[in-house]
CSV table of all heavy atoms in Angstrom, one decimal:
chain,number,residue,atom,x,y,z
A,164,PRO,N,-85.6,3.2,44.4
A,164,PRO,CA,-85.3,4.2,45.4
A,164,PRO,C,-83.9,4.7,45.3
A,164,PRO,O,-83.0,4.0,44.9
A,164,PRO,CB,-85.5,3.5,46.8
A,164,PRO,CG,-86.3,2.2,46.4
A,164,PRO,CD,-86.0,1.9,45.0
A,165,PRO,N,-83.7,6.0,45.6
A,165,PRO,CA,-82.4,6.6,45.5
A,165,PRO,C,-81.3,5.8,46.2
A,165,PRO,O,-80.2,5.7,45.7
A,165,PRO,CB,-82.5,8.0,46.1
A,165,PRO,CG,-84.0,8.3,46.0
A,165,PRO,CD,-84.7,7.0,46.1
A,166,GLN,N,-81.6,5.3,47.4
A,166,GLN,CA,-80.6,4.6,48.1
A,166,GLN,C,-80.2,3.3,47.4
A,166,GLN,O,-79.0,3.0,47.3
A,166,GLN,CB,-81.1,4.2,49.5
A,166,GLN,CG,-80.1,3.5,50.3
A,166,GLN,CD,-80.6,3.1,51.7
A,166,GLN,OE1,-81.4,3.9,52.3
A,166,GLN,NE2,-80.1,2.0,52.3
A,167,ASP,N,-81.1,2.6,46.8
A,167,ASP,CA,-80.8,1.4,46.1
A,167,ASP,C,-80.0,1.7,44.8
A,167,ASP,O,-79.1,1.0,44.5
A,167,ASP,CB,-82.1,0.6,45.7
A,167,ASP,CG,-82.8,0.0,47.0
A,167,ASP,OD1,-82.2,0.0,48.0
A,167,ASP,OD2,-84.0,-0.3,46.8
A,168,ARG,N,-80.4,2.7,44.1
A,168,ARG,CA,-79.7,3.1,42.9
A,168,ARG,C,-78.2,3.5,43.3
A,168,ARG,O,-77.3,3.1,42.6
A,168,ARG,CB,-80.4,4.3,42.3
A,168,ARG,CG,-79.8,4.7,41.0
A,168,ARG,CD,-80.8,5.7,40.3
A,168,ARG,NE,-79.9,6.5,39.4
A,168,ARG,CZ,-79.4,7.7,39.8
A,168,ARG,NH1,-79.5,8.2,41.0
A,168,ARG,NH2,-78.6,8.3,38.9
A,169,PHE,N,-78.1,4.3,44.4
A,169,PHE,CA,-76.8,4.7,44.8
A,169,PHE,C,-75.9,3.5,45.2
A,169,PHE,O,-74.8,3.4,44.7
A,169,PHE,CB,-76.9,5.6,46.0
A,169,PHE,CG,-75.6,6.1,46.6
A,169,PHE,CD1,-74.8,7.0,46.0
A,169,PHE,CD2,-75.2,5.5,47.8
A,169,PHE,CE1,-73.6,7.4,46.5
A,169,PHE,CE2,-74.0,5.9,48.4
A,169,PHE,CZ,-73.2,6.8,47.7
A,170,LEU,N,-76.5,2.6,45.9
A,170,LEU,CA,-75.7,1.4,46.3
A,170,LEU,C,-75.3,0.5,45.1
A,170,LEU,O,-74.2,0.0,45.0
A,170,LEU,CB,-76.5,0.5,47.3
A,170,LEU,CG,-76.8,1.1,48.6
A,170,LEU,CD1,-77.7,0.2,49.4
A,170,LEU,CD2,-75.4,1.2,49.4
A,171,ALA,N,-76.2,0.5,44.1
A,171,ALA,CA,-75.8,-0.3,42.9
A,171,ALA,C,-74.7,0.4,42.1
A,171,ALA,O,-73.7,-0.3,41.7
A,171,ALA,CB,-77.0,-0.4,42.0
A,172,LEU,N,-74.8,1.7,42.0
A,172,LEU,CA,-73.7,2.5,41.3
A,172,LEU,C,-72.4,2.4,42.1
A,172,LEU,O,-71.3,2.3,41.5
A,172,LEU,CB,-74.1,3.9,41.1
A,172,LEU,CG,-75.2,4.1,40.0
A,172,LEU,CD1,-75.7,5.6,40.1
A,172,LEU,CD2,-74.6,3.9,38.6
A,173,LEU,N,-72.5,2.5,43.4
A,173,LEU,CA,-71.3,2.4,44.3
A,173,LEU,C,-70.6,1.1,44.1
A,173,LEU,O,-69.4,1.0,44.0
A,173,LEU,CB,-71.7,2.7,45.7
A,173,LEU,CG,-70.6,2.8,46.7
A,173,LEU,CD1,-69.8,4.0,46.4
A,173,LEU,CD2,-71.2,3.0,48.1
A,174,ASP,N,-71.4,0.0,44.1
A,174,ASP,CA,-70.9,-1.3,44.0
A,174,ASP,C,-70.2,-1.5,42.6
A,174,ASP,O,-69.1,-2.1,42.5
A,174,ASP,CB,-71.9,-2.4,44.2
A,174,ASP,CG,-71.4,-3.8,44.3
A,174,ASP,OD1,-70.4,-3.9,45.1
A,174,ASP,OD2,-71.8,-4.7,43.6
A,175,GLU,N,-70.9,-1.0,41.6
A,175,GLU,CA,-70.3,-1.1,40.2
A,175,GLU,C,-69.0,-0.4,40.0
A,175,GLU,O,-68.1,-0.8,39.3
A,175,GLU,CB,-71.4,-0.5,39.2
A,175,GLU,CG,-71.0,-0.6,37.8
A,175,GLU,CD,-72.0,0.0,36.9
A,175,GLU,OE1,-73.2,0.2,37.3
A,175,GLU,OE2,-71.6,0.3,35.7
A,176,HIS,N,-68.8,0.7,40.7
A,176,HIS,CA,-67.6,1.5,40.6
A,176,HIS,C,-66.7,1.6,41.8
A,176,HIS,O,-65.9,2.5,42.0
A,176,HIS,CB,-68.0,3.0,40.2
A,176,HIS,CG,-68.8,3.1,39.0
A,176,HIS,ND1,-68.2,2.9,37.7
A,176,HIS,CD2,-70.1,3.3,38.7
A,176,HIS,CE1,-69.1,3.1,36.8
A,176,HIS,NE2,-70.3,3.3,37.4
A,177,ARG,N,-66.9,0.6,42.7
A,177,ARG,CA,-66.2,0.5,44.0
A,177,ARG,C,-64.6,0.6,43.8
A,177,ARG,O,-64.0,1.1,44.7
A,177,ARG,CB,-66.6,-0.6,44.8
A,177,ARG,CG,-66.1,-2.0,44.3
A,177,ARG,CD,-66.4,-3.2,45.2
A,177,ARG,NE,-67.6,-3.1,46.0
A,177,ARG,CZ,-67.6,-2.9,47.3
A,177,ARG,NH1,-66.5,-2.8,48.0
A,177,ARG,NH2,-68.7,-2.9,48.0
A,178,LYS,N,-64.1,0.1,42.7
A,178,LYS,CA,-62.6,0.1,42.5
A,178,LYS,C,-62.1,1.5,42.5
A,178,LYS,O,-60.9,1.7,43.0
A,178,LYS,CB,-62.2,-0.6,41.3
A,178,LYS,CG,-62.4,-2.1,41.4
A,178,LYS,CD,-62.0,-2.8,40.1
A,178,LYS,CE,-62.2,-4.3,40.3
A,178,LYS,NZ,-61.7,-5.0,39.1
A,179,ILE,N,-62.9,2.5,42.1
A,179,ILE,CA,-62.4,3.9,42.1
A,179,ILE,C,-62.1,4.3,43.5
A,179,ILE,O,-61.1,4.9,43.8
A,179,ILE,CB,-63.5,4.8,41.5
A,179,ILE,CG1,-63.6,4.5,40.0
A,179,ILE,CG2,-63.2,6.2,41.8
A,179,ILE,CD1,-64.8,5.2,39.3
A,180,LEU,N,-63.0,3.9,44.5
A,180,LEU,CA,-62.7,4.3,45.9
A,180,LEU,C,-61.4,3.8,46.4
A,180,LEU,O,-60.6,4.5,47.0
A,180,LEU,CB,-63.8,3.7,46.7
A,180,LEU,CG,-65.3,4.1,46.5
A,180,LEU,CD1,-66.2,3.2,47.3
A,180,LEU,CD2,-65.4,5.6,46.8
A,181,TYR,N,-61.1,2.5,46.1
A,181,TYR,CA,-59.9,1.9,46.6
A,181,TYR,C,-58.6,2.4,45.8
A,181,TYR,O,-57.5,2.6,46.5
A,181,TYR,CB,-60.0,0.4,46.6
A,181,TYR,CG,-61.1,0.0,47.5
A,181,TYR,CD1,-62.3,-0.5,46.9
A,181,TYR,CD2,-61.0,0.1,48.8
A,181,TYR,CE1,-63.3,-0.9,47.8
A,181,TYR,CE2,-62.0,-0.3,49.7
A,181,TYR,CZ,-63.2,-0.7,49.1
A,181,TYR,OH,-64.2,-1.1,50.0
A,182,LYS,N,-58.7,2.7,44.6
A,182,LYS,CA,-57.6,3.3,43.8
A,182,LYS,C,-57.2,4.6,44.5
A,182,LYS,O,-56.0,4.9,44.7
A,182,LYS,CB,-57.9,3.5,42.4
A,182,LYS,CG,-58.0,2.2,41.6
A,182,LYS,CD,-58.4,2.4,40.2
A,182,LYS,CE,-58.7,1.1,39.5
A,182,LYS,NZ,-59.2,1.2,38.2
A,183,VAL,N,-58.2,5.4,44.7
A,183,VAL,CA,-57.9,6.8,45.2
A,183,VAL,C,-57.4,6.6,46.7
A,183,VAL,O,-56.4,7.3,47.0
A,183,VAL,CB,-59.2,7.6,45.2
A,183,VAL,CG1,-59.0,8.9,46.0
A,183,VAL,CG2,-59.6,7.9,43.8
A,184,ALA,N,-58.0,5.8,47.5
A,184,ALA,CA,-57.6,5.7,48.9
A,184,ALA,C,-56.2,5.1,49.0
A,184,ALA,O,-55.4,5.6,49.8
A,184,ALA,CB,-58.6,4.8,49.6
A,185,ASN,N,-55.9,4.1,48.1
A,185,ASN,CA,-54.5,3.6,48.1
A,185,ASN,C,-53.5,4.6,47.7
A,185,ASN,O,-52.3,4.5,48.2
A,185,ASN,CB,-54.4,2.3,47.3
A,185,ASN,CG,-55.1,1.1,47.9
A,185,ASN,OD1,-54.9,0.9,49.1
A,185,ASN,ND2,-55.8,0.4,47.2
A,186,ALA,N,-53.8,5.5,46.9
A,186,ALA,CA,-52.9,6.5,46.4
A,186,ALA,C,-52.6,7.6,47.5
A,186,ALA,O,-51.5,8.2,47.5
A,186,ALA,CB,-53.4,7.2,45.1
A,187,TYR,N,-53.6,7.8,48.3
A,187,TYR,CA,-53.4,8.9,49.3
A,187,TYR,C,-53.2,8.5,50.7
A,187,TYR,O,-52.9,9.3,51.6
A,187,TYR,CB,-54.7,9.8,49.2
A,187,TYR,CG,-54.6,10.7,48.0
A,187,TYR,CD1,-55.2,10.3,46.8
A,187,TYR,CD2,-54.0,11.9,48.1
A,187,TYR,CE1,-55.1,11.1,45.7
A,187,TYR,CE2,-53.9,12.7,46.9
A,187,TYR,CZ,-54.5,12.3,45.7
A,187,TYR,OH,-54.4,13.1,44.6
A,188,CYS,N,-53.3,7.2,51.0
A,188,CYS,CA,-53.1,6.7,52.4
A,188,CYS,C,-52.2,5.5,52.4
A,188,CYS,O,-52.4,4.6,51.7
A,188,CYS,CB,-54.5,6.3,53.0
A,188,CYS,SG,-55.6,7.7,53.2
A,189,ARG,N,-51.3,5.5,53.3
A,189,ARG,CA,-50.4,4.4,53.4
A,189,ARG,C,-50.9,3.3,54.4
A,189,ARG,O,-50.6,2.2,54.2
A,189,ARG,CB,-49.0,4.9,53.9
A,189,ARG,CG,-48.3,5.8,53.0
A,189,ARG,CD,-46.9,5.9,53.1
A,189,ARG,NE,-46.2,6.9,52.4
A,189,ARG,CZ,-46.0,6.8,51.1
A,189,ARG,NH1,-46.3,5.8,50.4
A,189,ARG,NH2,-45.4,7.8,50.4
A,190,ASN,N,-51.6,3.7,55.4
A,190,ASN,CA,-52.0,2.7,56.4
A,190,ASN,C,-53.5,2.3,56.1
A,190,ASN,O,-54.3,3.1,55.7
A,190,ASN,CB,-51.7,3.2,57.8
A,190,ASN,CG,-52.8,3.5,58.7
A,190,ASN,OD1,-53.9,3.2,58.5
A,190,ASN,ND2,-52.4,4.1,59.8
A,191,ALA,N,-53.7,1.0,56.4
A,191,ALA,CA,-55.0,0.4,56.1
A,191,ALA,C,-56.2,1.1,56.8
A,191,ALA,O,-57.3,1.3,56.2
A,191,ALA,CB,-55.0,-1.1,56.4
A,192,GLU,N,-56.0,1.5,58.0
A,192,GLU,CA,-57.1,2.2,58.8
A,192,GLU,C,-57.4,3.5,58.1
A,192,GLU,O,-58.6,3.9,58.0
A,192,GLU,CB,-56.7,2.3,60.2
A,192,GLU,CG,-57.9,2.8,61.1
A,192,GLU,CD,-57.5,2.7,62.6
A,192,GLU,OE1,-57.0,1.6,63.0
A,192,GLU,OE2,-57.9,3.6,63.3
A,193,ASP,N,-56.4,4.3,57.8
A,193,ASP,CA,-56.6,5.6,57.1
A,193,ASP,C,-57.3,5.4,55.8
A,193,ASP,O,-58.2,6.1,55.4
A,193,ASP,CB,-55.3,6.3,56.9
A,193,ASP,CG,-54.7,6.9,58.2
A,193,ASP,OD1,-55.5,7.0,59.2
A,193,ASP,OD2,-53.6,7.2,58.2
A,194,ARG,N,-57.0,4.3,55.0
A,194,ARG,CA,-57.6,4.0,53.7
A,194,ARG,C,-59.1,3.7,54.0
A,194,ARG,O,-60.0,4.3,53.2
A,194,ARG,CB,-57.0,2.8,53.0
A,194,ARG,CG,-55.7,3.2,52.4
A,194,ARG,CD,-55.2,2.1,51.4
A,194,ARG,NE,-54.9,0.8,52.1
A,194,ARG,CZ,-53.7,0.5,52.6
A,194,ARG,NH1,-52.7,1.2,52.5
A,194,ARG,NH2,-53.6,-0.7,53.2
A,195,ARG,N,-59.4,2.9,55.0
A,195,ARG,CA,-60.8,2.7,55.3
A,195,ARG,C,-61.6,3.9,55.6
A,195,ARG,O,-62.7,4.2,55.2
A,195,ARG,CB,-60.9,1.6,56.4
A,195,ARG,CG,-60.7,0.2,56.0
A,195,ARG,CD,-61.0,-0.8,57.0
A,195,ARG,NE,-60.2,-0.7,58.2
A,195,ARG,CZ,-59.0,-1.3,58.3
A,195,ARG,NH1,-58.5,-2.1,57.3
A,195,ARG,NH2,-58.2,-1.2,59.4
A,196,ASP,N,-60.9,4.8,56.5
A,196,ASP,CA,-61.6,6.1,56.8
A,196,ASP,C,-61.8,6.9,55.6
A,196,ASP,O,-62.9,7.6,55.5
A,196,ASP,CB,-60.7,6.8,57.9
A,196,ASP,CG,-60.7,6.2,59.2
A,196,ASP,OD1,-61.5,5.3,59.5
A,196,ASP,OD2,-59.8,6.5,60.0
A,197,LEU,N,-60.8,7.0,54.7
A,197,LEU,CA,-60.9,7.8,53.5
A,197,LEU,C,-62.1,7.3,52.6
A,197,LEU,O,-62.9,8.1,52.1
A,197,LEU,CB,-59.6,7.9,52.8
A,197,LEU,CG,-59.7,8.7,51.5
A,197,LEU,CD1,-60.2,10.1,51.7
A,197,LEU,CD2,-58.3,8.7,50.8
A,198,VAL,N,-62.1,6.0,52.5
A,198,VAL,CA,-63.2,5.4,51.6
A,198,VAL,C,-64.5,5.8,52.2
A,198,VAL,O,-65.5,6.2,51.5
A,198,VAL,CB,-63.0,3.9,51.5
A,198,VAL,CG1,-64.3,3.2,50.9
A,198,VAL,CG2,-61.8,3.5,50.6
A,199,GLN,N,-64.7,5.7,53.5
A,199,GLN,CA,-66.0,6.0,54.1
A,199,GLN,C,-66.3,7.5,53.9
A,199,GLN,O,-67.4,7.9,53.7
A,199,GLN,CB,-66.0,5.6,55.6
A,199,GLN,CG,-66.1,4.2,55.8
A,199,GLN,CD,-66.3,3.8,57.3
A,199,GLN,OE1,-66.2,4.6,58.2
A,199,GLN,NE2,-66.6,2.5,57.5
A,200,GLU,N,-65.3,8.3,54.1
A,200,GLU,CA,-65.5,9.8,53.9
A,200,GLU,C,-65.9,10.1,52.4
A,200,GLU,O,-66.8,10.9,52.2
A,200,GLU,CB,-64.2,10.6,54.3
A,200,GLU,CG,-64.4,12.1,54.1
A,200,GLU,CD,-65.4,12.7,55.1
A,200,GLU,OE1,-65.7,12.1,56.2
A,200,GLU,OE2,-66.0,13.7,54.8
A,201,ILE,N,-65.3,9.4,51.5
A,201,ILE,CA,-65.7,9.6,50.1
A,201,ILE,C,-67.1,9.2,49.9
A,201,ILE,O,-67.9,9.9,49.2
A,201,ILE,CB,-64.7,8.8,49.2
A,201,ILE,CG1,-63.3,9.4,49.2
A,201,ILE,CG2,-65.3,8.8,47.7
A,201,ILE,CD1,-62.3,8.5,48.5
A,202,VAL,N,-67.5,8.0,50.5
A,202,VAL,CA,-68.9,7.5,50.3
A,202,VAL,C,-69.9,8.5,50.9
A,202,VAL,O,-70.9,8.8,50.3
A,202,VAL,CB,-69.1,6.1,50.9
A,202,VAL,CG1,-70.5,5.7,51.0
A,202,VAL,CG2,-68.3,5.1,50.1
A,203,VAL,N,-69.5,9.1,52.1
A,203,VAL,CA,-70.4,10.1,52.7
A,203,VAL,C,-70.6,11.3,51.8
A,203,VAL,O,-71.7,11.7,51.5
A,203,VAL,CB,-69.9,10.5,54.1
A,203,VAL,CG1,-70.6,11.7,54.6
A,203,VAL,CG2,-70.0,9.4,55.1
A,204,GLN,N,-69.5,11.7,51.2
A,204,GLN,CA,-69.6,12.9,50.3
A,204,GLN,C,-70.3,12.6,49.0
A,204,GLN,O,-71.1,13.4,48.5
A,204,GLN,CB,-68.2,13.4,50.0
A,204,GLN,CG,-67.4,14.0,51.2
A,204,GLN,CD,-68.2,15.2,51.8
A,204,GLN,OE1,-68.9,15.9,51.1
A,204,GLN,NE2,-68.1,15.2,53.1
A,205,LEU,N,-70.2,11.4,48.5
A,205,LEU,CA,-70.9,11.0,47.3
A,205,LEU,C,-72.4,10.9,47.6
A,205,LEU,O,-73.2,11.4,46.9
A,205,LEU,CB,-70.5,9.6,46.9
A,205,LEU,CG,-69.1,9.5,46.2
A,205,LEU,CD1,-68.7,8.0,46.1
A,205,LEU,CD2,-69.1,10.1,44.8
A,206,TRP,N,-72.8,10.4,48.8
A,206,TRP,CA,-74.2,10.3,49.2
A,206,TRP,C,-74.8,11.7,49.4
A,206,TRP,O,-75.9,12.0,48.9
A,206,TRP,CB,-74.3,9.5,50.5
A,206,TRP,CG,-75.7,9.4,51.0
A,206,TRP,CD1,-76.2,10.0,52.2
A,206,TRP,CD2,-76.8,8.7,50.4
A,206,TRP,NE1,-77.5,9.7,52.3
A,206,TRP,CE2,-77.9,8.9,51.3
A,206,TRP,CE3,-77.0,8.0,49.3
A,206,TRP,CZ2,-79.2,8.4,51.0
A,206,TRP,CZ3,-78.2,7.5,49.0
A,206,TRP,CH2,-79.3,7.7,49.9
A,207,ARG,N,-74.0,12.6,50.0
A,207,ARG,CA,-74.5,14.0,50.2
A,207,ARG,C,-74.7,14.7,48.8
A,207,ARG,O,-75.5,15.5,48.7
A,207,ARG,CB,-73.4,14.8,51.0
A,207,ARG,CG,-73.4,14.6,52.4
A,207,ARG,CD,-72.4,15.5,53.1
A,207,ARG,NE,-72.2,15.2,54.5
A,207,ARG,CZ,-71.2,15.6,55.2
A,207,ARG,NH1,-70.2,16.3,54.6
A,207,ARG,NH2,-71.1,15.3,56.4
A,208,SER,N,-73.8,14.4,47.9
A,208,SER,CA,-73.8,15.1,46.6
A,208,SER,C,-74.7,14.4,45.6
A,208,SER,O,-74.9,15.0,44.5
A,208,SER,CB,-72.4,15.1,46.0
A,208,SER,OG,-71.5,15.7,46.9
A,209,LEU,N,-75.2,13.3,45.9
A,209,LEU,CA,-76.1,12.6,44.9
A,209,LEU,C,-77.2,13.4,44.3
A,209,LEU,O,-77.5,13.3,43.1
A,209,LEU,CB,-76.6,11.2,45.5
A,209,LEU,CG,-77.3,10.3,44.5
A,209,LEU,CD1,-76.4,9.9,43.4
A,209,LEU,CD2,-77.9,9.1,45.3
A,210,PRO,N,-77.9,14.2,45.2
A,210,PRO,CA,-79.0,15.0,44.6
A,210,PRO,C,-78.5,16.0,43.5
A,210,PRO,O,-79.3,16.4,42.7
A,210,PRO,CB,-79.6,15.8,45.8
A,210,PRO,CG,-79.2,14.9,47.0
A,210,PRO,CD,-77.9,14.3,46.6
């Protein structure tokens, strides 16, 4: 299923999320928010 495939790819490449978030956000809460926003956009763009 697309959701399972997406989750597997997301887990495999999760470091990308944190590298980007750490470069653009200084505070931990903002980093978490940014990571979630990136995931939402990835999910929307998957098709």
Side-chain angles (χ1 to χ4, degrees):
Q166 179 179 331
D167 292 346
R168 187 171 152 268
F169 176 73
L170 290 172
L172 288 168
L173 188 62
D174 190 52
E175 181 181 342
H176 299 287
R177 73 176 26 256
K178 288 183 179 182
I179 292 171
L180 298 170
Y181 297 107
K182 287 175 188 175
V183 172
N185 283 319
Y187 284 88
C188 298
R189 297 203 189 281
N190 117 9
E192 190 168 316
D193 287 343
R194 283 192 298 267
R195 282 190 293 275
D196 289 346
L197 177 55
V198 167
Q199 286 188 353
E200 183 64 25
I201 292 168
V202 171
V203 168
Q204 292 303 324
L205 288 166
W206 178 247
R207 284 182 185 162
S208 301
L209 188 62

